[in-house]
Amino acid sequence: MAEFAYIIIGGGMAGASAGYELSAHGPVVVLERENQPGYHTTGRSAAVYSEAYGNATIRALTTGGRGFFMDPPAGFSDHPILTPRGAMFVGRDDQLTALDRTAEETSSLVKTIRRIDAAEVLATVPALRSDYVAGGVLEPDAMDIDVNGLHQGFLRGLAARGGSVVTNADVQAVERAGGLWRLTTSAGEFSAPILLNAAGAWCDKLAEMAGAKPIGLIPKRRTAITFDPPADTDISAWPAVVDVDEQFYFKPDADQLMGSPADETPSEPCDAQPGEIDIAIAVDRIEKATEFKIGRLNSRWAGLRSFVADKTPVIGYDAAVAGFFWVAGQGGYGIQTAPSLGRVVSSLVTDRGIPSDLQDLGVEQAAMDPARCQAA
Ligand SMILES: Cc1cc2nc3c(=O)[nH]c(=O)nc-3n(C[C@H](O)[C@H](O)[C@H](O)COP(=O)(O)OP(=O)(O)OC[C@H]3O[C@@H](n4cnc5c(N)ncnc54)[C@H](O)[C@@H]3O)c2cc1C
C-alpha cells in the first residue's frame, strides 16, 4: 500500500490548488477518477475573473488571489494566466435598482468599478439594443483566466515538490483504523492520516463513504454555447456582458462568442450534458438583449456548479470525523478563488489559521466552517 501524509480526492481546480500548496508540507497524492484531471467542472467554466461576483467571502478570496494571478511564482507558467477583458453588468429599466445596488456593494472593494449610463453601455458593446438597455456597471479590471494554464501550473508545481497525481483512480471504499485512512481505488490502495475531500459535485458522496455528515451540497447544472458574432464585427475589445440579475451572459472567446442562460438546475453528481430547453433559453435571452441572430451553434456543453445554502465554500476539518478535511462548495467561483483557497486549505490543514493577508481582506474561518452546514 502506498503511504502519504495527505490524500486528496479529486484532481480538479480545488484538488490541484490544495495539492500544490500542501505539497510544501509533506508527501501528497491526488486521486482522480477520470483519465484527465480537468474533465468535470474545471474544464467547463466561463474562465472569468471578476472581483464583483459572488458574496463578500468570495469577493475577498478573489481579490486576495490577484497578486498570485498577476505574478505567479517562477516556473508556474510561461505566459500570463490573466488577460484583460473587463465585465459589464447590464440592466433594463426595471433593473435600475439592482444596478445601483451592485455598483454600491462592489465599488467599496474595487475602486475602479463604476455605474455607467445607457449611452456608455451601448458605446462599449454596440450590438446591445438601445430599446433594451437602461444602464450598466463597468468593472474594467475583470479578466479572462487561462483555466488550463492555471490548472496545469498547480499540477506541475505539485509534481516538482514531490507530490503525485494518479488518474483512473476511482475511490471506491474509505476506511479509518489506527489513525490512518485507507482507500481502495481502481488504481490500488493508498493510506494517509489526513484525507481531503475535493471531489467537486461528489463531495457529499465521498463524505458518506468516510462516515461524515453531509453538508447539503447541491450540484447545479449550467449550460454554455458558442456561436459566431455578426459578420464584420470586431468583438475583440468587448467586455463580458452579464445581466445584472444573472439571467444571461456572453463574452468573446477568441474569435467567437460564448453565452449562457445562467441556469442553475439542481442535478445529481454526473457527467452533465446540456439540455435543448436551456440552449433555447440562452439563445432567446441573448437575442432579446442584442441585435444578434444566433444561427448555428459552434459548440454546447454543461457543467455542475456545486453550492451549499449560503453559497460560501466549505473549507475545514470535519468536527466529528478525525483527519477528514472538506474542500467543497466552490460553486461558480472555483477558478477565480483557487489561488486563495489553495493557501487557505494548506494553512488550515496544518493548523496555522487563515493567512493574515486574507484575514485583512475579511476572509473568516467561521464563514467556511463545515459544521455550519451540518447542523440540521
Ligand atoms: C458553465 C460554467 C461556468 C463557470 N464559470 C466560472 C468562472 O467564470 N469563474 C470561476 O471562477 N468559476 C467558474 N465556474 C465554476 C468552476 O468551474 C468550479 O467552481 C470549479 O471548477 C470546481 O472545481 P472542483 O475541483 O471543485 O470540481 P471538478 O473540476 O469537478 O473536480 C472534482 C473532481 O473529483 C473527481 N472525483 C469525484 N469523485 C471521485 C472519486 N470517487 N474518486 C476519484 N475522483 C473523484 C471528479 O472526477 C472530478 O474530476 C463555472 C462553472 C461552469 C459549469
Side-chain angles (χ1 to χ4, degrees):
M1 169 155 11
E3 291 179 19
F4 296 87
Y6 309 104
I7 296 176
I8 300 177
I9 302 175
M13 196 60 86
S17 56
Y20 170 79
E21 294 291 347
L22 210 43
S23 55
H25 300 278
V28 171
V29 64
V30 174
L31 302 177
E32 169 54 52
R33 175 201 286 145
E34 305 291 347
N35 64 7
Q36 344 152 11
Y39 178 76
H40 285 288
T41 308
T42 294
R44 308 181 189 199
S45 88
V48 173
Y49 173 95
S50 164
E51 290 165 285
Y53 193 39
N55 66 28
T57 298
I58 297 294
R59 297 199 302 262
L61 289 166
T62 303
T63 294
R66 185 177 260 277
F68 184 101
F69 273 120
M70 298 306 285
D71 187 18
F76 189 85
S77 171
D78 58 9
H79 59 275
I81 301 284
L82 293 189
T83 45
R85 169 60 53 207
M88 187 166 70
F89 301 85
V90 299
R92 302 174 302 262
D93 260 338
D94 59 309
Q95 294 173 298
L96 288 174
T97 313
L99 284 172
D100 290 340
R101 197 180 50 237
T102 300
E104 195 184 313
E105 274 179 25
T106 55
S107 59
S108 60
L109 197 64
V110 186
K111 299 295 172 215
T112 51
I113 292 180
R114 61 192 175 84
R115 182 78 165 76
I116 56 176
D117 62 15
E120 191 168 348
V121 170
L122 294 167
T124 308
V125 177
L128 284 160
R129 297 176 67 95
S130 56
D131 57 357
Y132 181 92
V133 166
V137 175
L138 188 67
E139 183 190 3
D141 297 331
M143 298 278 188
D144 275 341
I145 308 174
D146 173 356
V147 177
N148 187 51
L150 180 67
H151 193 211
Q152 292 305 321
F154 284 135
L155 293 174
R156 256 197 321 273
L158 179 159
R161 291 171 178 172
S164 39
V165 179
V166 183
T167 51
N168 298 309
D170 182 19
V171 175
Q172 294 161 340
V174 178
E175 287 163 41
R176 189 164 173 93
L180 282 180
W181 291 104
R182 185 187 174 119
L183 271 59
T184 308
T185 82
S186 50
E189 295 195 336
F190 298 82
S191 88
I194 295 175
L195 176 60
L196 287 86
N197 178 12
W202 288 267
C203 278
D204 266 346
K205 302 278 180 214
L206 258 303
E208 229 171 87
M209 283 191 207
K213 209 168 163 184
I215 53 171
L217 189 71
I218 303 186
K220 296 184 177 176
R221 190 177 65 235
R222 176 153 290 189
T223 306
I225 55 175
T226 57
F227 55 95
D228 289 334
D232 302 324
T233 306
D234 180 6
I235 61 168
S236 59
W238 287 4
V241 174
V242 186
D243 172 76
V244 69
D245 293 318
E246 224 189 327
Q247 293 291 297
F248 69 84
Y249 58 79
F250 62 88
K251 61 170 273 197
D253 178 8
D255 54 358
Q256 51 179 358
L257 289 161
M258 179 236 168
S260 172
D263 45 335
E264 296 199 331
T265 311
S267 163
E268 283 297 305
C270 65
D271 185 354
Q273 299 301 320
E276 288 305 325
I277 289 180
D278 295 316
I279 291 171
I281 293 172
V283 169
D284 180 57
R285 289 183 183 165
I286 294 171
E287 283 189 341
K288 277 204 172 88
T290 65
E291 307 285 356
F292 301 156
K293 294 277 165 278
I294 301 174
R296 193 176 60 86
L297 299 179
N298 297 334
S299 63
R300 56 186 75 195
W301 70 89
L304 299 177
R305 301 154 81 246
S306 298
F307 295 93
V308 293
D310 61 15
K311 294 197 156 186
T312 299
V314 179
I315 311 290
Y317 279 110
D318 193 277
V321 178
F324 186 79
F325 192 97
W326 289 87
V327 191
Q330 294 83 353
Y333 329 101
I335 312 296
Q336 62 179 33
T337 56
S340 291
L341 280 180
R343 292 178 59 217
V344 166
V345 168
S346 165
S347 198
L348 293 182
V349 165
T350 52
D351 296 322
R352 290 171 296 134
I354 302 281
S356 60
D357 58 311
L358 295 176
Q359 277 185 44
D360 292 347
L361 289 168
V363 178
E364 291 172 6
Q365 190 169 347
M368 296 187 282
D369 187 351
R372 79 189 194 281
C373 310
Q374 295 170 310

